[in-house]
Amino acid sequence: MSHWTWEWTGYDPAAERLRESLCTLGNGYFATRGAVPECRAGLVHYPGTYAAGCYNRLESAVAGRQVVNEDLVNLPNWLLLRFRVRRAEGEWGPWFSPDTHVLVDHRHTLDLRRATLTRTFRHRSDDTGVLGVEQTRLVHMGDPHLAALRTVFTAEDRPGEIEIESCLDGEVINGNVHRYRALNRRHVTHVRTGEKEPDTVWLSCRTSTSDIAVALAARTTVAVDGAAASSVLGPARHRAVHRLVVPLVPGRPVTVEKTVALHTSRDRAISDPIGEAVDRVSTAPGFTALLGSHAAAWERLWRNADIQVPGEAGRILRFHLFHVLQTLSPHTSDLDVGVPARGLHGEAYRGHVFWDELFVVPYLNLHVPEVSRALLDYRYRRLPRACRAAAASGRAGAMYPWQSGSDGREEAQEWHLNPHSGRWLPDHSRLQHHVGSAIAYNVWQYCEASGDTEYLHTKGAEMLLQIARFWASLAAFDPVTDRYRIRGVMGPDEYHDAYPDAGRPGLDDNAYTNVTAAWVLARALDLLRRLPAWRREQLFQRVGLDPGELPRWEEVSRRLRVPFHRGVISQFEGYDSLAELDWEAYRARYGTIRRLDRILEAEGDTVNRYKASKQADVLMLGYLFSPAELRDLFRRLGYRLDDDVWCRTVDYYLQRTSHGSTLSELVHGLILARARRADAWSYVREALEADIADIQGGTTGEGIHLGAMAGTLGLVQQGLTGLVPREDALWLDPVPLPALSEYGFSLRYRSHWGIGVRRRSGQLELCVPDSEETPIRVVLADRAVTITPGETCTLVLPDA
């Protein structure tokens, strides 16, 4: 295997769901899991296909209550292609299945460079002999509505016939996540099928409540010496089928090409999804030409976004980049979609949009900023609903939902199932209002990286001001502490949703929430001061902002409370009064305790009683902000944060974190690297392996963790370089990590394309391609340099 290919050998039914997720192919518009083509969904296989932003809402009975959930819909399965063989004059054998037939040399190869998945195996039977099979699939990056599967059958020793059944299967449910099995899962209705001679079938359906029309058309052709013995198009109620019978001659390959088009009523510039799908597939070229244009589109992507790191770490980073680019591709810029936490790879979290964009957008800003802008537009279009949500809760401004889907309402479930105890429990995760700060942070970072002042002064400003307005409204002055306080929230930790034995959910003065709220308020005030008077007046009118509100914003931004205890930052007020957990005893009893909350609940206890975190909470501040920025933030709030306090805080929470999220090791790895800690690499390595090794115990089969994958890329691009676009310059503060001491990548900064960044031999090299653009200012801790287009600057690092 090379840095560009990944292989899975043999056939292990227990590992299929994981392999399917990791072998998903997509193009930003839709994606299909890497399931074997001949199998329908079941306990082993799950051939899911998902179109970005295609959601549907269903009502289910849960724990004696009626609940409503919105899900990313599993669309009809275009992949299905099965076969069976018979000897001349003999009986037909059974339809081939890897679960019932003998497989020899079974192998899947994922080619990252060309974004193809190739499967090879030999099928051996006493009755029909040995049949070689090679299948290659793609989801086209050039034309986002096309996908194709080429299958080559080669009889090795005996003549006979092969029957091939190429289907579009509309009998699908959302069945990827076992713990959702009690919910209503049938989202696809009104299935119709049809045909277009000589080689095309189509299938259409609608989502049951969102009423999105979906249409697929499949063209199946055979290339073989001599004509196919028969070809029959057979649309049925829920399946559109094309059956072919072809002679098999030893040594003469039979090539079957299945080309598929997918359209929905959400698409632009179409009138009829069915007609569009049939027309598109009818005029599509053959597989070889499709592969060529598809590979060319990916070559352009890799040219602008590839990352070079030696060794296994580099191989994994490129794998992560592949999945990020096929979930959020240039096609995303034409769509109304957010960042699905589990990619387009499965149904966990119901395809919802959380705060994961916080780990994704900063990376995209420096490669495909048009995609970042589209992701921010997704939030902007839902700003009115966020403002209505705030008003409904008695607050001003915009209260964005913790989980978002089609229209921006709060999609966080009200009840969640603990698979350890089998009990349905109240879910208070909607109290994670810090998602608003993540959106504001991404607005600011996008505009700094792209120089898009028009966006900052219009849509970005509206979001930033309304989020700031919400924080100012939520903060209440406490005369006892002489501070503003934010009560009744949840932090990123997610374990703690209430005080022990409290009658209401929520916590007071979560440090991460309060500090990021202060940052948002400060940035909003900075922006207003920068704006020309006429812009500021227009903005006030658009958002209905009274200038009299601003003094309160200033005061809150400087006087929000940050709790401390025993010389460390408290995760929230009262954290120190919680009990200590016997970590060693629980590890000895359960082995892995990543989901400590579920373990304790199953024991009749609650994690709310303990000093135990699922993932970085306070320490997230050190992920978002450089040490200097963080000191300035605390200074603005009237607190002193020196290196000793921060190091004590890092040590304190490291000992009390179970790492129940794939984001946890990522954040801790960067924090420790910045602190020059030798144990940083162990956390970074865990972050790299989170999905490929499925360290969360089966969750990757339900979809990859997109935020963690993008976060590992950001760890190199921004974390180890200390790269931050700020104040019309690139700021650098390189961090040493011996295991990742060499790396290289290109980036796009404002109007400069293809800026090369390379670290090796204790030096950091920046190469700015020749152009007519203005020079780039680069700021380090001890100096600033200006690099003119066409020049290369080599910086000797002080810690080399």
Side-chain angles (χ1 to χ4, degrees):
M1 290 186 290
S2 73
H3 271 216
W4 290 99
T5 59
W6 287 71
E7 290 187 353
W8 290 261
T9 57
Y11 176 68
D12 179 4
E16 272 297 278
R17 291 287 182 102
L18 171 61
R19 188 199 59 73
E20 289 173 356
S21 281
L22 298 178
C23 291
T24 295
L25 297 180
N27 58 23
Y29 175 80
F30 80 100
T32 296
R33 288 166 58 86
V36 294
E38 64 273 8
C39 293
R40 301 180 70 202
L43 294 177
V44 175
H45 310 282
Y46 197 77
T49 289
Y50 311 97
C54 186
Y55 291 99
N56 190 62
R57 200 178 305 277
L58 291 177
E59 186 174 293
S60 306
V62 172
R65 298 171 174 83
Q66 292 298 119
V67 299
V68 176
N69 289 300
E70 184 176 70
D71 291 77
L72 186 68
V73 177
N74 178 28
L75 299 180
N77 177 20
W78 67 267
L79 194 61
L80 191 57
L81 188 142
R82 61 178 185 162
F83 66 91
R84 59 181 178 176
V85 180
R86 70 175 175 185
R87 294 177 60 186
E89 309 300 329
E91 297 289 327
W92 283 109
W95 293 104
F96 171 78
S97 167
D99 301 302
T100 57
H101 287 72
V102 177
L103 292 175
V104 181
D105 301 327
H106 192 253
R107 183 184 307 272
H108 281 91
T109 302
L110 181 64
D111 181 343
L112 304 184
R113 191 189 299 274
R114 300 194 308 166
T116 58
L117 179 64
T118 298
R119 176 198 189 199
T120 58
F121 65 92
R122 296 164 68 229
H123 162 40
R124 176 177 293 152
S125 167
D126 292 338
D127 295 328
T128 59
V130 178
L131 181 69
V133 181
E134 178 184 271
Q135 296 179 305
T136 301
R137 73 181 72 169
L138 61 86
V139 176
H140 206 278
M141 186 55 78
D143 185 330
H145 299 281
L146 290 178
L149 169 69
R150 179 179 64 193
T151 305
V152 181
F153 300 101
T154 306
E156 296 188 9
D157 52 2
R158 301 182 194 177
E161 287 184 307
I162 183 168
E163 181 177 6
I164 301 148
E165 188 177 86
S166 174
C167 301
L168 297 173
D169 184 7
E171 199 166 355
V172 294
I173 62 170
N174 273 44
N176 176 234
V177 181
H178 185 65
R179 62 187 174 279
Y180 298 167
R181 65 192 181 280
L183 303 176
N184 190 349
R185 297 179 291 169
R186 191 167 295 280
H187 294 275
V188 171
T189 61
H190 300 92
V191 178
R192 295 192 299 131
T193 61
E195 63 188 71
K196 180 183 178 183
E197 294 286 355
D199 50 24
T200 300
V201 294
W202 58 263
L203 180 149
S204 70
C205 61
R206 304 191 83 87
T207 54
S208 62
T209 59
S210 56
D211 200 33
I212 299 170
V214 180
L216 299 96
R219 181 189 71 200
T220 306
T221 60
V222 175
V224 65
D225 290 343
S230 67
S231 174
V232 178
L233 304 178
R237 183 179 177 188
H238 293 289
R239 299 167 75 192
V241 183
H242 186 177
R243 292 185 178 87
L244 304 110
V245 177
V246 184
L248 283 174
V249 178
R252 294 186 185 175
V254 173
T255 301
V256 180
E257 295 185 3
K258 182 176 185 179
T259 307
V260 175
L262 168 63
H263 277 276
T264 80
S265 55
R266 299 180 78 242
D267 296 344
R268 298 181 182 184
I270 70 167
S271 61
D272 170 27
I274 298 173
E276 195 69 27
V278 171
D279 288 348
R280 189 173 293 266
V281 82
S282 298
T283 57
F287 187 90
T288 300
L290 282 174
L291 178 58
S293 56
H294 168 69
W298 268 98
E299 193 278 330
R300 292 189 293 273
L301 268 182
W302 287 121
R303 189 187 311 143
N304 294 326
D306 192 22
I307 186 168
Q308 298 94 35
V309 175
E312 184 65 10
R315 188 166 169 269
I316 296 172
L317 284 164
R318 184 171 283 140
F319 182 75
H320 287 180
L321 178 55
F322 171 75
H323 283 291
V324 171
L325 292 177
Q326 65 175 358
T327 305
L328 301 168
S329 80
H331 299 298
T332 304
S333 61
D334 290 329
L335 304 174
D336 177 33
V337 296
V339 176
R342 305 302 284 273
L344 299 173
H345 298 60
E347 295 160 18
Y349 302 162
R350 300 185 174 87
H352 290 168
V353 177
F354 294 70
W355 72 327
D356 297 72
E357 64 210 65
L358 187 62
F359 301 87
V360 178
V361 168
Y363 181 81
L364 298 177
N365 287 341
L366 295 169
H367 297 284
V368 278
E370 62 274 12
V371 174
S372 295
R373 179 172 174 145
L375 297 172
L376 294 175
D377 280 346
Y378 168 85
R379 294 297 194 177
Y380 178 74
R381 294 185 190 102
R382 287 148 184 82
L383 179 61
R385 185 177 282 273
C387 291
R388 294 199 297 272
S393 69
R395 305 297 175 188
M399 185 175 75
Y400 275 97
W402 174 238
Q403 296 187 34
S404 182
S406 61
D407 60 11
R409 76 182 75 176
E410 178 61 77
E411 300 294 353
Q413 56 195 357
E414 297 181 4
W415 296 85
H416 70 269
L417 174 68
N418 181 357
H420 289 254
S421 67
R423 287 189 284 267
W424 287 88
L425 308 167
D427 189 311
H428 302 301
S429 59
R430 63 190 59 223
L431 297 177
Q432 293 191 68
H433 301 315
H434 62 83
V435 66
S437 294
I439 295 167
Y441 183 89
N442 279 334
V443 167
W444 195 263
Q445 293 298 322
Y446 161 73
C447 294
E448 289 278 20
S450 65
D452 191 348
T453 54
E454 179 64 22
Y455 196 88
L456 179 62
H457 293 171
T458 53
K459 294 178 181 179
E462 289 184 47
M463 287 187 279
L464 188 60
L465 294 187
Q466 293 289 27
I467 294 166
R469 202 179 203 178
F470 172 73
W471 286 129
S473 173
L474 192 60
F477 184 72
D478 175 20
V480 175
T481 60
D482 195 31
R483 289 274 181 177
Y484 284 90
R485 306 185 66 183
I486 294 177
R487 302 178 185 271
V489 301
M490 283 179 64
D493 160 38
E494 292 192 321
Y495 273 177
H496 297 91
D497 64 358
Y499 289 102
D501 304 318
R504 65 172 181 85
L507 304 160
D508 300 337
D509 295 325
N510 172 258
Y512 174 84
T513 299
N514 285 15
V515 173
T516 55
W519 180 89
V520 171
L521 287 161
R523 292 292 74 73
L525 291 165
D526 286 347
L527 173 61
L528 290 174
R529 281 190 285 267
R530 291 187 200 176
L531 286 176
W534 67 272
R535 280 277 199 188
R536 188 163 55 248
E537 184 178 347
Q538 283 188 348
L539 187 57
F540 282 174
Q541 291 174 355
R542 280 204 307 272
V543 302
L545 181 65
D546 184 342
E549 297 179 45
L550 302 185
R552 177 180 168 86
W553 292 19
E554 182 74 37
E555 186 177 6
V556 173
S557 75
R558 295 182 181 277
R559 301 198 58 77
L560 270 168
R561 185 162 188 269
V562 179
F564 287 77
H565 71 274
R566 305 186 189 189
V568 304
I569 305 168
S570 298
Q571 185 170 308
F572 50 81
E573 177 63 34
Y575 187 88
D576 187 42
S577 65
L578 301 180
E580 292 285 5
L581 183 79
D582 189 341
W583 291 87
E584 292 306 315
Y586 272 86
R587 288 191 179 99
R589 189 182 314 167
Y590 292 100
T592 176
I593 57 170
R594 292 181 183 274
R595 291 311 305 264
L596 184 63
D597 56 333
R598 293 174 174 175
I599 291 171
L600 289 168
E601 193 280 328
E603 292 183 343
D605 204 346
T606 173
V607 74
N608 282 329
R609 296 202 311 114
Y610 299 99
K611 297 173 183 173
S613 297
K614 175 183 176 183
Q615 58 188 318
D617 193 298
V618 173
L619 301 191
M620 266 299 298
L621 295 171
Y623 181 86
L624 293 185
F625 305 111
S626 70
E629 289 176 303
L630 200 53
R631 283 193 298 270
D632 289 345
L633 267 173
F634 273 73
R635 187 181 302 115
R636 179 186 177 90
L637 287 165
Y639 297 100
R640 183 170 179 268
L641 180 66
D642 58 25
D643 290 344
D644 289 341
V645 172
W646 181 248
C647 288
R648 284 197 302 271
T649 301
V650 170
D651 287 336
Y652 184 87
Y653 290 105
L654 268 179
Q655 299 168 25
R656 293 167 174 82
T657 302
S658 70
H659 306 295
S661 164
T662 54
L663 295 171
S664 188
E665 281 90 358
L666 165 70
V667 173
H668 286 91
L670 178 56
I671 297 298
L672 293 173
R674 282 180 171 167
R676 270 64 170 174
R677 289 272 293 268
D679 50 347
W681 172 241
S682 65
Y683 288 92
V684 173
R685 186 175 60 237
E686 285 274 305
L688 288 169
E689 296 176 352
D691 273 330
I692 60 171
D694 198 12
I695 64 172
Q696 294 289 333
T699 63
T700 303
E702 303 165 351
I704 54 111
H705 297 82
L706 192 66
M709 284 190 169
T712 61
L713 301 168
L715 185 142
V716 175
Q717 177 178 277
Q718 288 117 311
L720 298 186
T721 61
L723 174 63
V724 179
R726 188 169 79 239
E727 300 169 6
D728 297 321
L730 289 176
W731 293 65
L732 293 171
D733 184 14
V735 171
L737 187 61
L740 289 176
S741 59
E742 292 188 18
Y743 50 79
F745 53 86
S746 65
L747 56 86
R748 179 174 157 193
Y749 173 61
R750 301 196 170 179
S751 53
H752 294 273
W753 291 60
I755 300 172
V757 180
R758 178 168 294 278
R759 177 175 179 154
R760 56 188 168 189
S761 304
Q763 296 180 331
L764 190 67
E765 180 183 281
L766 290 92
C767 177
V768 180
D770 193 16
S771 72
E772 298 299 317
E773 301 299 330
T774 57
I776 295 175
R777 193 165 65 96
V778 177
V779 181
L780 289 91
D782 59 345
R783 60 193 184 275
V785 297
T786 299
I787 309 175
T788 301
E791 291 184 351
T792 297
C793 178
T794 301
L795 305 170
V796 178
L797 302 179
D799 57 343

